[in-house]
Amino acid sequence: TADEKHDLVAAVDEAVNTAKNQIAQATSPDEATEATATGEANITAVSDDAKLQAAKNDAVNAIDTAATNAIAAIENNKSLTTAQKDAYKAQITNAATDVKNAINQATNVADVTTAEDAGTANISAVSDTAKLQAAKNDAVSAIDTATTNAITAIENNTSLTAGQKDAYKAQITNAATDAKNDINQATNVADVTTAEDAGAANISAVSDAAKLQAAKNDGIAKLDEAKNTTIAQITESGLS
């Protein structure tokens, strides 16, 4: 920054003036040489401090940018609840604060780089966790929708008995519960998708079984009706 440059330039000027005074006061060539070496070392130290401060500034800026981008992505993720957003944003803010403290306490450029890399990784880890949670929320929502639609279809199917409806609805509820458990235990987005697909397939299988049973019931009912009609006609025909 402008203030940092001003202070560091002043430090260089002070180191030079001090060295010149010591050189001027030297009473032997050795003392003059020693004063010169000390002055050069002090100037180098200020230069190193400037490089270290510049590295710290760059690292802090990089962390601020990463944190800002991560928070914006979380805030704009419509698949997360407000509470989840607040929790993840707080984690990112804390991670950024911790790493900036570590950066500012570093005594060399290598430690600055190490602290920055660790902070970037921590922020990225929170972002990944937020994305995983969003995927889980979407998957659970999809399973809930599939469950509701399947149960409604079974409940409205007039070809099923009350007992059959209850049995199929219970199977769907169990399939949904199992799928949601698998979704919530997933450790990556691919596993979430696999669990969702399996759950949707299981719910669909129960729905298909219910439709098949309804078709069977209709077929049996039609045969019984035809049987009864035929028997009635025979009985009423006057045949002896």
Side-chain angles (χ1 to χ4, degrees):
T1 66
D3 287 342
E4 289 168 342
K5 289 179 180 179
H6 178 272
D7 291 343
L8 289 164
V9 169
V12 170
D13 287 338
E14 182 180 357
V16 170
N17 291 333
T18 299
K20 286 181 179 179
N21 287 335
Q22 290 175 342
I23 291 169
Q25 294 171 8
T27 57
S28 69
D30 287 344
E31 287 182 357
T33 300
E34 182 179 352
T36 300
T38 299
E40 289 175 338
N42 289 338
I43 292 170
T44 298
V46 175
S47 179
D48 289 342
D49 287 343
K51 292 174 184 176
L52 176 59
Q53 187 59 57
K56 289 182 178 182
N57 291 353
D58 287 342
V60 167
N61 287 337
I63 291 298
D64 282 339
T65 298
T68 297
N69 290 342
I71 287 174
I74 288 170
E75 186 59 45
N76 293 329
N77 193 323
K78 297 179 181 179
S79 298
L80 294 172
T81 67
T82 299
Q84 289 169 340
K85 289 181 180 181
D86 290 343
Y88 290 127
K89 289 189 292 183
Q91 289 179 40
I92 287 175
T93 298
N94 291 338
T97 298
D98 289 344
V99 70
K100 288 192 284 186
N101 287 338
I103 289 169
N104 288 322
Q105 291 171 7
T107 56
N108 57 69
V109 174
D111 287 348
V112 170
T113 301
T114 298
E116 179 187 348
D117 289 345
T120 300
N122 290 341
I123 291 171
S124 180
V126 177
S127 294
D128 289 343
T129 301
K131 291 175 184 176
L132 176 59
Q133 186 59 58
K136 289 181 178 182
N137 290 354
D138 287 342
V140 167
S141 179
I143 291 296
D144 283 339
T145 298
T147 299
T148 299
N149 291 341
I151 287 177
T152 298
I154 288 170
E155 188 59 46
N156 292 334
N157 194 324
T158 56
S159 297
L160 294 171
T161 67
Q164 289 168 340
K165 289 181 180 181
D166 290 342
Y168 287 125
K169 288 190 293 182
Q171 289 179 43
I172 286 175
T173 299
N174 290 338
T177 299
D178 290 344
K180 289 192 283 187
N181 286 339
D182 289 342
I183 288 168
N184 288 321
Q185 291 172 7
T187 57
N188 56 69
V189 174
D191 287 348
V192 170
T193 301
T194 298
E196 179 188 348
D197 289 345
N202 290 339
I203 291 170
S204 180
V206 177
S207 294
D208 289 343
K211 293 174 184 176
L212 176 59
Q213 186 60 57
K216 290 180 178 181
N217 290 353
D218 286 342
I220 290 172
K222 288 179 181 179
L223 288 175
D224 286 341
E225 182 181 358
K227 169 188 171 183
N228 293 335
T229 299
T230 300
I231 290 174
Q233 289 174 344
I234 291 172
T235 301
E236 295 170 1
S237 68
L239 294 173
S240 58

